[in-house]
Amino acid sequence: MHSQKYLFERMLAPAGIRINGNGPADIRVRDERFYARLLRYKNLGLGESYMEGWWDCQRLDELIYRVLTARIDKKIVGGLKLLFPSIAAVFLNMQSRMRAFDVAERHYNLDNDLFMSFLDPYNQYSCAYFDGTGDLNEAQVKKMDLICRKLDLKANDRVLDIGCGWGGLAKYMAEKRGCRVTAVNISDRQIEYARETCRGLPVEIVRKDYRDLDGCYDKIVSVGMFEHVGMKNYRTFMTAVHRCLNDGGIFLLHTIGNNESRIKCDPWIHKYIFPNGMLPSIAQIGKAAEGLFVTEDLHNLGPHYAKTLMAWHGNFQKAWPQLKSKHSETFKRMWDFYLLSCAGAFRARDIQLWQWVLTRYGTTQPCCR
């Protein structure tokens, strides 16, 4: 046990992190089994042991930022258990039609009150755009306005929103730009909420898998959904969009992404937050779009996501007294770890947020920003 602790002390020292120190990024270990668990299960062990109260940190986001910036995560070799998801991802389609509903059931169909407690009035569960503002609500409106400008939305446009969440963007496009919007989703709770919030607007909310998309649209947008598509389906997704986009139309893809091409998600995120999730690389997206689309613009908003997640976490903390009657303390620690570790990862530039603007061949280049 002491040798394991000494090993971690040496690894963490270059990042300015101490075991049982008093600094904001220091780890305070409450259960000595923490060291062996982390060595054996790596990221999964780190998150699970935090959920169970084996360790604490005053600024978890800062801890993750320092660990990733110093590349300490690369020095801990994962156990054999972590190899199994990788093997499965190679041979199986982890985001097949059958598995596609896993994330809807286990994440997006959670109590709507939970999400509404920390999101903005338009319920945007995606990166905001803090352009000249520090306010989350204003930054989310700026994000939606940026999307509308990149799509060059006009009042007579027919728009397809793939993976519409709680309908906030569809509502905004219909209200502010006068568009007719068809929005698709597979989460029953989100669909029910979206239909209510878009009542009276030219918005149709449809329960449909992206593989079954049909119709013709002038503009297509997908925000925060491509992370659930998976590498075996990237081309299928792009083909479906191409099939539905009119000549001269514009497609905007808003997605979290990896700096490197990978075949699986972080094991803790996969188990507790987004089952079967997978973050694409620029190379993977480019290959999927090759021969179908012209890339007009690629915009990295990654640093804005760190700010978004910190704002969500602040709201979640304020709302917890009203939420704790429905959720356990372990659930709260899980949610804290999710929001803060992701904030640290974006701040460290370990993961990115991209907006791609794509057009069909022969389209006049749009003004993208």
Side-chain angles (χ1 to χ4, degrees):
M1 191 74 68
H2 293 295
S3 61
Q4 293 171 342
K5 179 181 177 181
Y6 177 69
L7 172 65
F8 278 108
E9 286 177 333
R10 290 192 61 185
M11 284 195 301
L12 294 172
I17 301 169
R18 295 177 297 169
I19 301 294
N20 297 325
N22 296 318
D26 290 339
I27 296 174
R28 286 177 279 282
V29 177
R30 309 200 184 284
D31 190 314
E32 293 294 313
R33 292 175 295 174
F34 163 75
Y35 305 109
R37 191 169 184 176
L38 183 55
L39 278 172
R40 184 175 183 184
Y41 296 112
K42 204 175 180 183
N43 294 15
L44 181 62
L46 183 71
E48 287 186 333
S49 59
Y50 183 84
M51 289 167 58
E52 295 167 24
W54 288 17
W55 64 279
D56 274 305
C57 179
Q58 182 182 341
R59 284 287 306 276
L60 182 56
D61 58 301
E62 181 66 15
L63 167 67
I64 299 300
Y65 164 74
R66 293 191 189 187
V67 165
L68 293 177
T69 301
R71 309 285 283 176
I72 293 172
D73 60 312
K74 304 300 182 184
K75 300 176 184 178
I76 305 174
V77 179
L80 288 176
K81 183 177 179 179
L82 301 183
L83 290 177
F84 297 139
S86 299
I87 295 170
V90 171
F91 294 104
L92 301 175
N93 185 350
M94 303 302 292
Q95 297 80 16
S96 65
R97 286 179 182 272
M98 184 178 298
R99 290 190 175 96
F101 289 89
D102 289 351
V103 69
E105 289 300 319
R106 290 172 54 188
H107 189 79
Y108 295 109
N109 281 349
L110 287 171
D111 182 9
N112 278 339
D113 289 343
L114 167 67
F115 293 101
M116 303 307 117
S117 72
F118 65 85
L119 299 178
D120 65 291
Y122 278 95
N123 302 317
Q124 293 294 286
Y125 194 29
S126 59
C127 181
Y129 185 44
F130 291 87
D131 182 32
T133 182
D135 179 74
L136 174 66
N137 296 351
E138 186 178 353
Q140 289 291 13
V141 170
K142 285 179 175 287
K143 184 269 299 294
M144 292 186 291
D145 177 69
L146 179 67
I147 288 173
C148 290
R149 286 188 282 117
K150 288 182 177 181
L151 287 171
D152 191 24
L153 283 189
K154 296 180 172 57
N156 61 345
D157 280 339
R158 188 180 178 197
V159 183
L160 174 64
D161 181 353
I162 307 174
C164 64
W166 291 275
L169 178 59
K171 179 181 180 181
Y172 183 87
M173 292 188 293
E175 283 181 338
K176 304 301 181 182
R177 297 296 179 116
C179 305
R180 293 174 296 152
V181 183
T182 298
V184 300
N185 200 338
I186 60 172
S187 166
D188 292 330
R189 286 207 173 187
Q190 287 190 328
I191 290 170
E192 181 182 3
Y193 189 98
R195 285 174 176 167
E196 183 61 33
T197 199
C198 294
R199 187 182 299 276
L201 293 169
V203 177
E204 180 185 16
I205 309 294
V206 180
R207 190 178 193 273
K208 182 177 289 188
D209 186 280
Y210 70 88
R211 282 163 278 226
D212 299 321
L213 290 173
D214 54 14
C216 297
Y217 300 90
D218 303 301
K219 309 292 167 59
I220 299 179
V221 61
S222 183
V223 176
M225 180 269 181
F226 197 70
E227 299 90 332
H228 306 300
V229 170
M231 66 167 188
K232 290 187 178 296
N233 306 305
Y234 292 155
R235 183 67 174 187
T236 300
F237 179 92
M238 290 294 183
T239 300
V241 173
H242 186 268
R243 180 175 68 242
C244 294
L245 186 63
N246 288 336
D247 289 339
I250 303 173
F251 168 46
L252 185 142
L253 177 66
H254 176 117
T255 183
I256 301 173
N258 252 324
N259 294 324
E260 303 170 8
S261 296
R262 297 177 183 172
I263 62 172
K264 64 183 180 65
C265 184
D266 175 274
W268 185 86
I269 292 289
H270 163 72
K271 185 173 180 179
Y272 292 99
I273 307 298
F274 298 119
N276 305 318
M278 187 180 296
L279 302 184
S281 67
I282 287 179
Q284 288 170 325
I285 296 175
K287 182 174 178 59
E290 187 174 317
L292 297 174
F293 294 108
V294 174
T295 299
E296 302 286 2
D297 190 59
L298 175 54
H299 188 181
N300 192 338
L301 296 172
H304 293 265
Y305 219 150
K307 295 179 182 178
T308 303
L309 286 153
M310 294 304 295
W312 286 345
H313 184 257
N315 290 344
F316 175 66
Q317 293 295 102
K318 293 175 185 176
W320 180 246
Q322 289 73 49
L323 296 171
K324 64 182 182 181
S325 62
K326 297 182 179 180
H327 304 283
S328 68
E329 184 64 24
T330 300
F331 179 90
K332 181 183 183 296
R333 291 180 69 87
M334 177 183 76
W335 214 256
D336 288 338
F337 189 84
Y338 158 47
L339 296 174
L340 293 174
S341 64
C342 288
F346 276 106
R347 195 178 305 141
R349 311 311 308 285
D350 189 65
I351 50 179
Q352 313 301 329
L353 187 287
W354 298 311
Q355 285 187 348
W356 293 66
V357 177
L358 304 169
T359 60
R360 293 175 66 115
Y361 281 69
T363 301
T364 301
Q365 186 177 45
C367 180
C368 295
R369 299 188 191 178

